């Protein structure tokens, strides 16, 4: 059923759950084969009705054979239905690209490649230094203990009520201990107690979410972590990962965890390559914005450029702390705009008044006029048709009960995030193919939205870097 050689050791097969995911337009996300049978076929429910995996040994063989046959029949019938439906006749607009691509194109040219890319990732796994993790766990536990002693052994730091009481005893008046509230405090003034609490929480999360689970649960007998990657778990088509989530290691103290991932080769290295300002480049491609394209082609850092044009950053301030801070704000502003957020939302995150937010947005769109036209056009398309598309043919249906602002955010965010993820995933797939083609020992071991990690023997590092540079162009 649609089986053919992929050319690098793994066979390409069709996947009815992937087909169903594309047809759902991001609303259904992952569904089981049984659920698809109930929704699409007339053969009713079927199964073995066993309590636990061990009980399968007690099931008579003829019943097992019947169950397996039902699975095969259901899969073939679903494939036949979905193959026709993927040739969609939904509305298209040049807002999403000059060449119309349907769901069938997205399935054949994107999703199937991504499926085999994540299969390879899972098979390859990534090496973990268990001794480093054990030492890190001890250090973090000791640090956590000292911080608890500094704050007070009688205070339960997992109790918002007790933490609020402790903060108020230090003269810090807040109504909540939520992360956003505490971060807002730190933006105004350095408060040692708040910094201490935030660091304590970061350490606790690092221990509970990464350090201990990695060491105890996720490292296999081969010393590798084989995480679960998925192409059917997000509404925009963005890849996801769990058990453990290797795509979302937190920024605060994150490098401590990253150091645990090492090369499997005795003289090896982990090569990491980033897709620079990836989503902004995709937005530029959609909007065909001349000013934005000029910045990218000249090599100018677009976040720094926006900081200079909107926030008054001067050339003589480049390389200073002021540039670093204004670039951070400009970066948040850039992404806030392409994610379709309004003045109130952007202003709230960046610590400015709503009026300042409106003024900044107006100044921004004086720089990037075509981007403004594209954003407005996508919103109008979404309001008219109830869905948006990406340049690769994906569809996302939007809720009818959305507010105009909520629908607008999803409408403009989806084409950008979806295409950016697909482009990066396809590039990683091509890197894998080239590594296999050349017979190298290097292995792609992780994909983090806009970055790829390749585990290389020392003698292959330069060749792998050359492959990456060639495929990213």
């Amino acid at each position: 059923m649609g089986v053919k050689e992929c050319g690098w050791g793994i066979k390409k097969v069709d996947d009815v759950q992937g087909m169903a995911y594309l047809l759902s337009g991001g609303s259904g996300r992952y569904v089981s084969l049984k659920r698809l049978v109930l929704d699409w076929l007339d053969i009713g429910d079927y199964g073995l009705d066993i309590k636990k995996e061990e009980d399968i040994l007690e099931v008579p063989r003829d019943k097992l054979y019947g169950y397996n046959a039902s699975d095969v029949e259901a899969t073939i019938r679903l494939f036949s239905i979905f193959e026709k439906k993927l040739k969609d006749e939904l509305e298209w607009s040049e807002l999403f690209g000059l060449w119309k691509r349907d769901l069938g194109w997205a399935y054949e040219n994107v999703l199937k490649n991504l499926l085999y890319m994540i299969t390879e990732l899972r098979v390859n796994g990534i090496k973990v230094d268990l001794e480093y993790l054990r030492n890190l766990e001890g250090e973090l536990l000791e640090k956590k203990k000292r911080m608890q002693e500094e704050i007070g052994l009688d205070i339960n730091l997992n109790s918002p009520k007790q933490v609020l009481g402790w903060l108020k005893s230090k003269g810090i008046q807040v109504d909540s201990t939520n992360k956003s509230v505490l971060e807002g405090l730190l933006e105004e003034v350095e408060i040692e107690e708040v910094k201490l609490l935030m660091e304590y929480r970061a350490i606790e999360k690092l221990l509970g979410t990464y350090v201990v689970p990695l060491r105890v649960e996720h490292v296999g007998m081969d010393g590798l972590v084989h995480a679960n990657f998925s192409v059917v778990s997000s509404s925009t088509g963005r890849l996801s990962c769990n058990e453990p989530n290797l795509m979302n290691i937190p920024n605060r103290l994150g490098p401590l965890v990253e150091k645990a991932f090492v090369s499997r080769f005795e003289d090896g290295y982990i090569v990491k390559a980033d897709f620079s300002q990836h989503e902004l480049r995709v937005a530029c491609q959609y909007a065909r914005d001349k000013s934005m394209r000029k910045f990218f082609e000249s090599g100018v850092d677009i976040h720094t450029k926006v900081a200079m044009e909107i926030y008054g950053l001067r050339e003589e301030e480049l390389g200073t702390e002021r540039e670093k801070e204004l670039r951070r704000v400009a970066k948040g502003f850039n992404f806030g705009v392409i994610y379709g957020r309004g003045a109130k939302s952007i202003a709230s995150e960046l610590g400015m008044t709503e009026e300042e937010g409106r003024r900044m947005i107006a100044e921004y769109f004086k720089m990037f006029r075509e981007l403004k036209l594209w954003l407005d056009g996508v919103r109008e398309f979404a309001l008219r048709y109830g869905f948006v598309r990406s340049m690769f043919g994906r569809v996302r249906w939007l809720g009818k009960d959305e507010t105009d602002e909520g629908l607008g955010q999803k409408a403009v965010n989806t084409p950008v995030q979806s295409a950016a993820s697909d482009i990066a995933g396809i590039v990683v797939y091509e890197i894998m193919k080239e590594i296999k083609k050349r017979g190298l020992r290097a292995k792609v071991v992780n994909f983090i939205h806009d970055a790829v990690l390749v585990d290389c023997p020392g003698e292959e590092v330069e060749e792998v870097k050359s492959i990456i540079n060639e495929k990213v162009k």
Side-chain angles (χ1 to χ4, degrees):
M1 185 180 70
V3 179
K4 56 187 177 182
E5 281 293 340
C6 182
W8 44 286
I10 295 178
K11 291 190 181 294
K12 242 184 175 181
V13 296
D14 288 288
D15 187 303
V16 296
Q17 288 169 311
M19 296 168 114
Y21 168 73
L22 284 177
L23 289 168
S24 77
S27 59
R29 301 195 186 184
Y30 173 79
V31 288
S32 67
L33 182 62
K34 287 187 180 180
R35 182 71 256 173
L36 293 176
V37 168
L38 289 171
D39 290 345
W40 291 89
L41 303 179
D42 57 0
I43 62 177
D45 195 8
Y46 67 96
L48 293 175
D49 191 29
I50 56 177
K51 298 291 189 295
K52 52 187 179 180
E53 289 182 21
E54 292 82 4
D55 291 345
I56 198 168
L57 298 174
E58 307 299 323
V59 178
R61 284 195 174 190
D62 59 340
K63 191 171 182 179
L64 276 176
Y65 295 155
Y67 172 70
N68 290 336
S70 296
D71 257 1
V72 173
E73 180 200 4
T75 301
I76 292 172
R77 288 178 60 182
L78 286 168
F79 172 77
S80 180
I81 294 169
F82 294 160
E83 188 178 34
K84 295 182 179 69
K85 286 189 169 293
L86 285 172
K87 297 177 175 63
D88 74 81
E89 297 298 328
L90 292 171
E91 189 69 25
W92 182 267
S93 166
E94 287 191 0
L95 290 164
F96 308 117
L98 298 178
W99 296 277
K100 179 177 180 180
R101 289 161 173 164
D102 61 15
L103 287 170
W105 195 97
Y107 175 67
E108 287 294 335
N109 296 281
V110 179
L111 193 76
K112 287 170 81 168
N113 292 342
L114 297 182
L115 281 167
Y116 296 101
M117 186 265 282
I118 65 170
T119 300
E120 178 86 351
L121 279 176
R122 180 161 173 76
V123 170
N124 287 344
I126 186 168
K127 177 82 172 175
V128 171
D129 185 338
L130 286 173
E131 184 178 356
Y132 171 82
L133 279 180
R134 279 191 289 269
N135 292 334
L136 178 60
E137 182 181 351
E139 290 171 12
L140 291 175
L141 285 171
E142 182 59 33
K143 189 170 185 179
K144 186 178 164 185
K145 180 183 174 184
R146 289 197 304 270
M147 295 172 80
Q148 176 73 70
E149 290 171 350
E150 186 175 345
I151 292 170
L153 294 174
D154 58 330
I155 298 168
N156 179 0
L157 293 175
N158 292 316
S159 165
K161 183 177 180 180
Q162 291 191 34
V163 170
L164 273 176
W166 172 69
L167 289 173
K168 286 177 181 178
S169 74
K170 300 292 183 179
I172 303 164
Q173 299 298 319
V174 287
D175 297 323
S176 169
T177 62
N178 286 344
K179 181 181 178 183
S180 58
V181 173
L182 298 180
E183 285 179 341
L185 275 176
L186 288 178
E187 284 181 7
E188 296 174 12
V189 62
E190 289 286 317
I191 304 173
E192 288 304 317
E193 289 83 1
V194 175
K195 285 175 63 180
L196 189 65
L197 180 61
M198 294 287 285
E199 188 173 2
Y200 180 91
R201 287 181 174 179
I203 289 172
E204 192 168 53
K205 182 174 182 180
L206 213 60
L207 281 166
T209 307
Y210 294 96
V211 177
V212 176
L214 269 176
R215 184 179 65 77
V216 176
E217 301 172 24
H218 299 305
V219 178
M221 297 295 290
D222 56 3
L224 305 174
V225 171
H226 299 275
N228 292 323
F229 292 85
S230 174
V231 298
V232 295
S233 298
S234 71
S235 53
T236 62
R238 206 177 196 197
L239 271 66
S240 64
C241 179
N242 60 55
E243 296 185 3
N245 185 354
L246 298 179
M247 301 177 77
N248 193 32
I249 294 172
N251 291 328
R252 284 175 67 89
L253 305 179
L256 291 175
V257 176
E258 290 177 351
K259 288 178 183 176
F261 300 112
V262 296
S263 177
R264 72 196 67 203
F265 304 106
E266 188 175 343
D267 61 340
Y269 298 89
I270 301 287
V271 174
K272 182 178 180 181
D274 294 308
F275 296 81
S276 174
Q277 300 169 354
H278 189 37
E279 292 187 353
L280 286 170
R281 292 175 186 270
V282 170
C284 173
Q285 186 170 342
Y286 273 121
R288 300 185 273 283
D289 191 289
K290 299 181 186 66
S291 297
M292 193 176 276
R293 181 181 291 275
K294 184 178 178 182
F295 292 153
F296 285 130
E297 289 177 346
S298 68
V300 172
D301 179 276
I302 195 165
H303 303 314
T304 300
K305 181 65 176 176
V306 169
M308 295 175 80
E309 295 292 328
I310 295 181
Y311 295 102
L313 177 69
R314 301 186 301 275
E315 281 196 31
E316 57 266 29
E317 293 177 312
L318 297 180
T320 66
E321 284 299 315
R322 176 171 161 77
E323 185 217 353
K324 188 184 296 184
E325 175 59 20
L326 290 182
R327 185 186 181 280
R328 181 192 67 80
V329 175
K331 183 177 180 179
F333 194 85
N334 276 326
F335 285 108
V337 170
I338 68 164
Y339 289 161
R341 295 167 63 185
K344 185 176 182 179
S345 174
I346 291 174
S348 174
E349 179 172 319
L350 298 180
M352 60 179 68
T353 66
E354 189 173 343
E355 184 57 38
E356 284 177 316
R358 286 197 192 91
R359 183 177 63 79
M360 294 293 185
I361 289 174
E363 289 296 318
Y364 187 86
F365 285 134
K366 284 181 184 177
M367 292 173 63
F368 305 125
R369 298 179 188 277
E370 288 94 346
L371 179 63
K372 174 71 162 64
L373 291 173
W374 180 77
L375 291 169
D376 290 344
V378 173
R379 285 191 184 93
E380 289 172 13
F381 183 96
L383 286 168
R384 181 176 181 183
Y385 295 105
F387 65 87
V388 287
R389 309 203 68 153
S390 84
M391 64 176 69
F392 295 119
R394 289 184 188 262
V395 173
R396 182 182 183 185
W397 295 96
L398 302 167
K400 294 180 180 178
D401 298 327
E402 294 276 0
T403 62
D404 284 353
E405 184 176 352
L407 185 143
Q409 286 186 24
K410 289 181 179 178
V412 300
N413 176 36
T414 296
V416 173
Q417 191 176 95
S418 176
S421 178
D422 284 345
I423 290 168
I426 291 168
V427 168
V428 174
Y429 167 79
E430 293 295 332
I431 290 169
M432 285 179 169
K433 280 206 306 182
E434 188 63 25
I435 286 172
K436 294 277 185 178
K437 180 180 175 182
R438 297 191 189 188
L440 302 179
R441 292 190 294 151
K443 297 178 183 294
V444 178
V445 293
N446 199 9
F447 171 61
I448 315 173
H449 302 311
D450 59 357
V452 58
L453 274 67
V454 186
D455 187 359
C456 308
E459 69 273 12
E460 292 181 3
V461 167
E462 292 305 317
E463 189 169 1
V464 166
K465 285 164 65 175
S466 173
I467 291 171
I468 293 171
N469 287 329
E470 176 187 320
K471 297 300 180 182
V472 169
K473 285 181 181 177

